[in-house]
Amino acid sequence: MRRAERLFQIVQLIRGRRLSTARFLAERLEVSERTVYRDVADLMAQGVPIEGEAGVGYRMHAAFDLPPLMFSKDEARALVASVRVAQSRLDTALAAQAEAALSKILAVLPPASRAAAESLAIYAPPVGPDTATRERLQVLREAAESRRKLRLRYLDLKGRVSERCVRPLGCFFWSEVWTLAAWCEARADFRNFRVDRIEQVELLAQTFRDEPGRTLADLFRQVEGEMAARDMSTDA
């Protein structure tokens, strides 16, 4: 990779994340951390508004932007594949936005790149969640994004019905089903709810803030700890 291209990729990686460490950048670019430090210092000297420092991480100033980018043939094909695979599995609103975004991208591509992308021999049959589940998924996703609490009426695998007040943290797709990861206030713990088993969902006026031990990052750490403990038990 030429240095000019590497500098461009560094800018792209930093502005696409809240915080990028030198180790992360070095791994993505397949260079040493020393090279990353030098390149970032050069970019900052050229006036690129990168904030941060070595040993901590870097982020881009919010006001910084680059001119529209042109996609390569392979990048355009990857976008088409992603939308085709995901579209029938997303909620209706997000699926429509994905299609609209892809149409805008294809419209500005050179003819050869557009033809290569549209002729991609990868297709995904429309075998996703039913309409009711997709509509419910939209409510859950938007609640997680707006930090609004939810009241759920949930039917578990044993046929038991319960009502829960939860803090929605994120929606996860597991090849066949969607689940909602949430902090359940009744159980004072994290819980996962299959979206197709949520009988009713009510968007509450109450909002919530991140609190130690109740965030999505805390859930990820808990799962990683459980997996590590399971692996150690298996090895023993």
Side-chain angles (χ1 to χ4, degrees):
M1 180 185 297
R2 295 177 301 173
R3 185 166 185 270
E5 183 180 353
R6 188 174 70 242
L7 293 176
F8 179 78
Q9 290 298 326
I10 289 175
V11 171
Q12 291 293 89
L13 290 168
I14 293 176
R15 76 170 187 163
R17 294 165 53 89
R18 291 183 180 179
L19 190 70
S20 298
T21 64
R23 175 178 295 181
F24 166 79
L25 295 171
E27 290 175 351
R28 289 294 299 272
L29 298 170
E30 298 181 348
V31 297
S32 68
E33 291 185 37
R34 184 184 297 274
T35 297
V36 170
Y37 293 143
R38 185 177 63 249
D39 287 347
V40 170
D42 288 346
L43 287 167
M44 295 172 72
Q46 295 171 25
V48 179
I50 297 174
E51 301 173 345
E53 57 185 281
V56 178
Y58 303 103
R59 66 180 181 180
M60 193 69 66
H61 191 278
F64 180 74
D65 200 3
L66 288 174
L69 303 177
M70 186 56 63
F71 294 96
S72 68
K73 287 183 180 180
D74 288 340
E75 290 169 339
R77 287 157 62 89
L79 287 170
V80 170
S82 299
V83 173
R84 286 181 182 175
V85 170
Q87 198 166 14
S88 66
R89 293 156 178 81
L90 298 172
D91 62 68
T92 305
L94 202 57
Q97 294 299 323
E99 183 177 9
L102 183 60
S103 296
K104 291 179 181 179
I105 292 170
L106 292 176
V108 298
L109 289 177
S113 296
R114 179 172 182 173
E118 292 179 331
S119 63
L120 180 67
I122 291 180
Y123 303 92
V127 287
D130 58 39
T131 301
T133 300
R134 295 179 74 182
E135 291 176 353
R136 198 175 301 122
L137 177 62
Q138 180 179 343
V139 175
L140 302 178
R141 173 180 61 81
E142 292 176 348
E145 292 168 353
S146 61
R147 320 293 281 173
R148 296 270 296 276
K149 291 185 179 181
L150 296 169
R151 181 175 290 112
L152 306 179
R153 178 179 172 84
Y154 188 70
L155 176 68
D156 68 18
L157 292 173
K158 295 183 179 180
R160 298 173 299 196
V161 177
S162 61
E163 290 194 0
R164 314 283 187 92
C165 180
V166 303
R167 302 181 180 195
L169 301 176
C171 299
F172 293 80
F173 185 62
W174 305 91
S175 297
E176 296 182 359
V177 299
W178 279 97
T179 62
L180 170 71
W183 174 265
C184 178
E185 298 195 339
R187 302 293 188 269
D189 200 357
F190 296 110
R191 288 292 186 271
N192 290 298
F193 303 93
R194 278 184 51 159
V195 176
D196 59 347
R197 289 186 170 274
I198 297 176
E199 295 189 330
Q200 294 179 2
V201 56
E202 178 185 355
L203 183 64
L204 303 179
Q206 296 172 279
T207 59
F208 63 92
R209 297 179 299 173
D210 283 344
E211 296 180 15
R214 301 184 179 187
T215 68
L216 187 60
D218 291 316
L219 173 59
F220 286 155
R221 282 191 287 269
Q222 177 178 304
V223 172
E224 289 173 357
E226 292 172 352
M227 293 177 64
R230 191 181 304 119
D231 290 342
M232 291 178 62
S233 174
T234 302
D235 292 340

